[in-house]
Amino acid sequence: MSTAPTTPIDAMHFRRTLGQYPTGVVVITAVGADGEVVGMTVGSFASVSLDPPLVAFFATSTSGSWGALRATGSQFCVNVLTADQEAVCRQIAARKTDKFEGVPLRFTDRGSAVLEGALAYIECDTEAVYPGGDHDIVVGRVAELDVQEATTPLLFFRGGYGAFVPLSLATADASLASQMRYVDLARGPMERLAADLDTEVSALCAAGSDLVIAASAGQVVRPEMITRVGQRWPYAAPTGALFAANRDEAERRRWLATASDAFGYEAAVALLERVEADGVAYAVGPAAEAHLFETTAMDIPVHLVQSSAAEYNVPLTEMSEPVELRFASVPIFVDGEMVFELGVWGRLEPISAAQARAIIDRVRSCADEVVALIPGAGVERVPTA
Ligand SMILES: Cc1cc2nc3c(=O)[nH]c(=O)nc-3n(C[C@H](O)[C@H](O)[C@H](O)COP(=O)(O)O)c2cc1C
């Protein structure tokens, strides 16, 4: 190690420059012999090695919280915070003793304290603690780990908190920014619906010639996908019928013009009429078609949508055979304009038509809960005079 005098670097300059590098945020927890949970908020967490499985974080050597963590023994647990856990992050970063007051925790078989609602947790045995200037480099050997919530992480950048927005969203039509404000207010009801139905719930916004999944709650059908947020669907028949049916005449014509030979213009007109009458868009379809709704592609190609063999808005009352519900979405209006669609993704197993109708009704009541939270919102279009 070099002992040569270091060039003095201004502390502010150091912090400001290093603050250009964003980090995620984790809470490190440990449980003392008396059962007391101690912990600290950490941004310097990183994955180190797969074989053996190692992770690390850097703790201020003089930190009281790190001292308390260290004193508990040789285990700790890393809790990756979600974008909506900023309050937990701040509470646990505070210099106080009862840091976990009101923070829901559960205890694993190994005795680790896991934060309810954390994105993921990683249980570790302390492998080594190395000196690193005014910090300690704490290396943990991973014993257990899992993803808990299929959502997005809390980010820390230039001293402020934020959430991850995929470039596919960030580069979309600027109008998405205003739609996103409303979508954000829908999160609570979306989470509850996803938990009730044990499926995934998404909010889709129209952005230029695409539909973009702006928010998602619940487990994705394909675990390797992690989240659907940012997935883009082409605004082409039969996709986007809900927007076409609930916006103006020009929008309707624009959408109808996207009908391909495979889907058909007449079929698109008939679909618009059914969607308008039903106030909901849904599809049922054979297992062979499930790939369209389960694809992990972030940009869904238009030909895949147009060649879909799913049946859209077929009258469920006439169905006696079990169906596989692919999705069901309802529109959310603000000041009379449709701003996003709120939908559930189906489960793969066949269900009765009555069960499918019950799911659709549940989506409708979720929409009622959502509009109650957004000033000026409604579940029906207010025609302009
Ligand atoms: C977003 C964020 C990231 C942080 N990252 C670290 C870190 O990587 N290492 C560290 O020692 N402290 C970090 N802290 C500070 C500690 O969480 C905590 O505020 C500090 O340890 C409190 O002082 P005490 O430990 O002496 O009570 C971070 C705080 C925040 C809010």
Side-chain angles (χ1 to χ4, degrees), residues 23-26 39-45 57-67 89-90 92-96 99 134-136 154-157 159-161:
T23 70
V25 185
V26 302
M40 70 192 288
T41 299
V42 158
S44 60
F45 171 72
F57 66 93
F58 309 135
T60 314
S61 317
T62 54
S63 152
S65 308
W66 163 229
C89 158
R90 287 180 186 278
I92 294 168
R95 272 210 174 86
K96 56 180 205 159
K99 289 183 172 204
D134 53 15
H135 276 60
D136 286 339
L154 181 64
L155 300 182
F156 190 70
F157 176 55
Y161 296 95

Side-chain angles (χ1 to χ4, degrees), residues 48 55-59 61 66 126 128-133 135-140:
V48 174
V55 296
F57 66 93
F58 309 135
S61 317
W66 163 229
T126 306
V129 180
Y130 304 106
H135 276 60
D136 286 339
I137 303 168
V138 187
V139 179

Side-chain angles (χ1 to χ4, degrees), residues 232-378:
R232 300 176 81 94
W233 286 68
Y235 183 53
T239 298
L242 206 54
F243 276 97
N246 287 295
R247 288 186 153 179
D248 59 17
E249 196 46 45
E251 184 80 26
R252 215 182 164 87
R253 279 199 296 273
R254 186 160 81 89
W255 184 80
L256 284 173
T258 66
S260 63
D261 290 346
F263 190 73
Y265 184 83
E266 294 308 320
V269 172
L271 174 57
L272 270 194
E273 282 167 8
R274 288 200 301 275
V275 166
E276 212 164 7
D278 295 345
V280 52
Y282 60 89
V284 297
E289 259 329 285
H291 64 272
L292 171 59
F293 301 97
E294 285 171 53
T295 175
T296 54
M298 288 309 275
D299 254 302
I300 309 228
V302 68
H303 69 83
L304 203 61
V305 165
Q306 289 176 333
S307 63
S308 152
E311 293 184 79
Y312 295 82
N313 282 64
V314 286
L316 290 169
T317 41
E318 292 165 17
M319 293 204 143
S320 50
E321 296 292 305
V323 295
E324 286 189 19
L325 187 67
R326 297 279 168 250
F327 77 91
S329 301
V330 297
I332 303 290
F333 299 86
V334 178
D335 297 329
E337 291 289 322
M338 180 174 165
V339 286
F340 67 93
E341 70 176 76
L342 176 81
V344 297
W345 301 94
R347 312 255 354 140
L348 292 183
E349 67 275 5
I351 53 176
S352 70
Q355 283 172 312
R357 285 204 302 277
I359 290 175
I360 292 170
D361 285 344
R362 191 61 194 82
V363 180
R364 285 197 174 104
S365 59
C366 178
D368 289 336
E369 287 172 46
V370 167
V371 299
L373 298 171
I374 305 175

Side-chain angles (χ1 to χ4, degrees), residues 187-201:
R187 282 184 192 278
M190 285 174 62
E191 295 286 350
R192 284 195 291 279
L193 181 64
D196 274 11
L197 298 178
D198 189 25
T199 187
E200 198 187 359
V201 175

